[in-house]
Each structure stands twice: as C-alpha cells, then as structure tokens.
Amino acid sequence: MADRTGIFAGDDPFALARAWLDEATGTEPEDPNAIALSTVDADGLPNVRMVLLKEIEADAFVFYTNFEGKKGRELAANPRAAFVMHWKSLRRQVRVRGPVERVEDAQADAYYASRSLQSRLGAWASRQSEPLAGRGALMAEVAKVTATHGPSPKRPPFWGGFRIKPVEIEFWADGPFRLHDRFRWSRTTPVQTEWHVERLNP
C-alpha cells in the first residue's frame, strides 16, 4: 500500500512488531513487553489480564504461565487468544488475534532456567488463580518448595509456554484530532505466508 511508509513500512509484521517493541524498550519506564491477554471461559465470557510477552518468533508471539491457572485452563478448552500491547510513551499499540499452541518442552525448559531462582521457586509455590488464605500461607509454601527443590529446581510440569500464531495483527499509531493511523494484516490460516494488508478508518 502506497501510504504504508515510515513506522509502518515493511513486508514482515513480526519484524515490524519487534522493531516497535525495541523502540519502546528505550521509552517505556517499566515492562515494555506487557500485553493485555484475553481468553474466553466455557460460557463465552472473556477474561483479560496483563502478562509479559517473552518472545516474538518468526511467525508467532510467546508467553509463559501456569497451565492449571484460569488462563491455562481456558486456553486448553478453547485454544484461541487475543492481546493488545500498548505503549503510552510512543502513542502506539499492536493488536493480535489467533489460535494458540503450547511451546515445546525444550524451549520452555530453557526459558524457565533463565529466570531468577525466586521466580522459578514461585512457579512451584503458586496454585495460580486458586483461593489463598493469606500471604503467610503463600510464603510458607515458598519455603516448603525451596527445601524440597533446592537451588536448581526443574520446570514444573504444570508450567510452560504458549505460542499465539496470529491470523490478524493490527498496528495503530495516534494521530492528531483522533485521526489515527491503523493498518490491519490478515491471513486465512496461521500457516499461510501471504498477508493481506489494508488501512482502516480511525
């Protein structure tokens, strides 16, 4: 498209998303890789929460979580998700929708091993999304798993990564008088290599 120039230029939406995220890393005060992730429960009611995007692959977006928490259970039952990544400092956002699959064990193991020891132990201790009697109970569980798993805990079998393979990616930039610039990249299936790109009304 003739007017897709400047910050919107390029033929690869994943490279474009990486470039925007790299730029945001220098301007956002905290967590430039934060995304608002939406899943759907058994009744069709959406749930949205902030998680950290950990990798933009050649054709997918990756995040990690507890498989037994609410988002993990919802993704197992309905493996589709959407997210928005918004950078207030740049006045830009990226929206993504598509099917979801689990990350391979070796990749999840490598990422888990790169985390701090406290975070690795926390993954064992937290029964994500379940009711908790109090913070004291959580810290007692951390102490328990620390004693059990020691300084080099293996990845919990209930914890790992999800990969979103999008069929739609939208790049949005703030414009004067709310006349924003929006370009939507879409494809029929996540294995399709050809994208259809169109400008949208603000």
Side-chain angles (χ1 to χ4, degrees):
M1 185 171 291
D3 60 350
R4 191 164 55 80
T5 57
I7 62 171
F8 293 100
D11 298 320
D12 180 350
F14 301 98
L16 184 55
R18 280 191 293 271
W20 282 26
L21 178 56
D22 287 345
E23 189 174 349
T25 300
T27 61
E28 289 293 304
E30 287 189 42
D31 297 331
N33 60 327
I35 59 175
L37 177 75
S38 178
T39 57
V40 178
D41 69 14
D43 297 319
L45 189 64
N47 272 310
V48 64
R49 77 288 284 165
M50 303 303 296
V51 301
L52 295 179
L53 182 69
K54 288 301 179 179
E55 188 175 357
I56 302 177
E57 298 179 328
D59 65 347
F61 298 85
V62 176
F63 66 94
Y64 292 84
T65 191
N66 186 316
F67 296 144
E68 297 176 355
K70 183 167 287 188
K71 79 175 80 65
R73 295 195 306 270
E74 290 178 354
L75 288 170
N78 183 2
R80 299 173 184 86
F83 73 76
V84 61
M85 185 162 36
H86 175 245
W87 301 292
K88 197 169 185 177
S89 61
L90 296 178
R91 301 171 76 172
R92 296 182 211 165
Q93 65 182 16
V94 177
R95 297 176 59 226
V96 172
R97 299 198 305 157
V100 175
E101 64 185 27
R102 280 198 189 184
V103 165
E104 295 78 8
D105 287 345
Q107 184 174 342
D109 288 342
Y111 171 67
Y112 180 79
S114 75
R115 305 177 87 210
S116 70
L117 175 59
Q118 293 83 356
S119 294
R120 283 178 280 155
L121 292 169
W124 275 102
S126 174
R127 295 181 175 88
Q128 195 175 79
S129 305
E130 296 299 318
L132 181 65
R135 187 162 185 84
L138 177 61
M139 300 315 293
E141 188 63 25
V142 171
K144 179 180 174 183
V145 300
T146 299
T148 303
H149 296 284
S152 298
K154 292 184 178 180
R155 179 176 60 89
F158 52 81
W159 190 96
F162 284 104
R163 174 183 291 116
I164 302 177
K165 303 195 77 171
V167 293
E168 187 175 301
I169 307 174
E170 181 187 319
F171 295 89
W172 178 102
D174 181 69
F177 311 109
R178 298 196 179 275
L179 299 178
H180 313 304
D181 289 308
R182 299 173 61 188
F183 289 93
R184 180 174 61 199
W185 298 61
S186 58
R187 57 186 179 180
T188 305
T189 69
V191 297
Q192 190 177 26
T193 57
E194 295 295 322
W195 290 89
H196 173 65
V197 187
E198 56 188 344
R199 178 185 276 274
L200 303 179
N201 271 280

